Amino acid sequence: MRNAMQHTQTVHASTALVTAGAEGDRLVGSDRVLAVLKELARHPDGVTLDELTRAIGSPKPTVHRALAALRRAGLAGQDPGGRYLLGDEFLRMAFAHHEARPEHVRVRPLLEALSARFGETAHYAVLDGREVVHRAKADPPTGAVRLTSTVGGRNPAHATGVGKALLAHELGTLDAVRRWIGETPLERRTPRTLCTAEELHAELRATRERGHALDDQENETGVNCLALPVYGTSPRAPSGAVSVSALAYRTPLRTLVDAVEEIRELLGPLKEPF
């Protein structure tokens, strides 16, 4: 009798593992709702149910139920043409949270000062794996040509000044750089992007030595930047990095390098040497 019960438990356990494995390959429950929410964020002009169904890879009734749940919470809505988009409640929460973040409150005046000083775009970004995420941005005065970067936007860390400013603190050896790259090759955004472990290691070492990071049209042709780490939460580890991102024809990289001490002074209490 005991052996029979043990056999039955083993079968049930095996079945549960198979079911869990199967569900791991497809979206279930709340994961599906979140996937729909993230897909809505990719379509500021709205998206149809058919388009959502194809993008999510779930049956139409299932996606429709997810949308109904999001609409009840105010996180999704429909325009007069029937296209689905993010709801006003989602936008309210996102903007209220973003504006109230302590780091944003402290960094925003700095970005505005940098943008006004150089007539270029200033960013604050944090490291997230192999990418940087823009947490805040200040554009130059109305009328000037502006960059298309957005708050919440992502770029490869190895190709950006803010990314290299932060990686310089985390990857101190060639082996560390190789482990960080792993098996997935680094993306080449422009002909100038540093894509090998040796190139990136040498640049991170140079970044530590000079105390600031550079992006010499490595992420986007025609755009360069100078970046410095900021210490908003700890005196030892940077919470993020600030950059002045400039159109190369208007503000050459040399101009930014020559003004690095002025930029450092503008950081005030947020600055800390490498």
Side-chain angles (χ1 to χ4, degrees):
M1 182 70 173
R2 181 177 299 173
N3 290 339
M5 291 179 61
Q6 289 175 340
H7 175 71
T8 300
Q9 290 171 346
T10 301
V11 171
H12 286 332
S14 300
T15 302
L17 287 173
V18 171
T19 302
E23 290 184 347
D25 293 333
R26 59 187 174 85
L27 296 171
V28 295
S30 59
D31 290 338
R32 186 184 300 111
V33 176
L34 294 175
V36 171
L37 183 65
K38 291 179 69 174
E39 187 63 26
L40 288 176
R42 294 166 53 88
H43 302 274
D45 294 328
V47 59
T48 67
L49 179 58
D50 286 338
E51 291 169 337
L52 274 174
T53 299
R54 288 194 296 271
I56 301 301
S58 295
K60 185 180 293 187
T62 303
V63 175
H64 193 266
R65 285 194 296 271
L67 284 167
L70 291 170
R71 293 185 70 187
R72 287 193 297 271
L75 303 180
Q78 274 185 291
D79 65 15
R83 298 173 68 84
Y84 293 93
L85 24 83
L86 289 177
D88 290 338
E89 178 62 13
F90 178 89
L91 299 176
R92 184 197 67 76
M93 291 191 302
F95 283 116
H97 176 73
H98 176 66
E99 291 297 324
R101 273 184 167 178
E103 61 181 1
H104 182 271
V105 173
R106 297 184 68 186
V107 168
R108 183 69 196 181
L110 165 63
L111 298 184
E112 291 175 347
L114 287 172
S115 181
R117 161 63 179 84
F118 293 96
E120 301 287 357
T121 300
H123 293 105
Y124 171 68
V126 298
L127 190 64
D128 184 15
R130 290 165 63 106
E131 298 179 314
V132 290
V133 183
H134 291 143
R135 288 277 183 85
K137 172 187 178 184
D139 281 314
T142 303
V145 177
R146 304 182 182 191
L147 302 186
T148 58
S149 55
T150 59
V151 173
R154 292 173 174 266
N155 277 310
H158 69 283
T160 61
V162 285
K164 287 187 283 186
L166 297 173
L167 289 176
H169 284 263
E170 296 197 0
L171 307 178
T173 67
L174 178 57
D175 284 343
V177 174
R178 285 172 173 159
R179 287 193 299 271
W180 181 78
I181 294 175
E183 300 298 321
T184 305
L186 296 178
E187 179 184 358
R188 185 173 297 281
R189 297 295 292 262
T190 77
R192 300 190 182 190
T193 309
L194 306 179
C195 293
T196 69
E198 291 75 15
E199 289 175 328
L200 183 57
H201 170 60
E203 181 62 18
L204 296 182
R205 182 174 56 199
T207 296
R208 288 188 292 270
E209 291 173 353
R210 64 180 171 243
H212 58 268
L214 302 175
D215 163 10
D216 187 7
Q217 302 186 54
E218 297 160 50
N219 185 59
E220 184 176 353
T221 299
V223 178
N224 52 42
C225 84
L226 183 146
L228 290 163
V230 296
Y231 295 76
T233 57
S234 167
R236 292 177 296 276
S239 57
V242 164
S243 71
V244 178
S245 300
L247 295 175
Y249 80 87
R250 188 167 61 192
T251 306
L253 188 57
R254 184 74 253 170
T255 300
L256 297 178
V257 172
D258 289 343
V260 65
E261 290 307 318
E262 182 181 354
I263 296 172
R264 198 182 299 278
E265 285 305 311
L266 285 172
L267 290 178
L270 296 179
K271 71 171 183 285
E272 181 75 15
F274 276 97

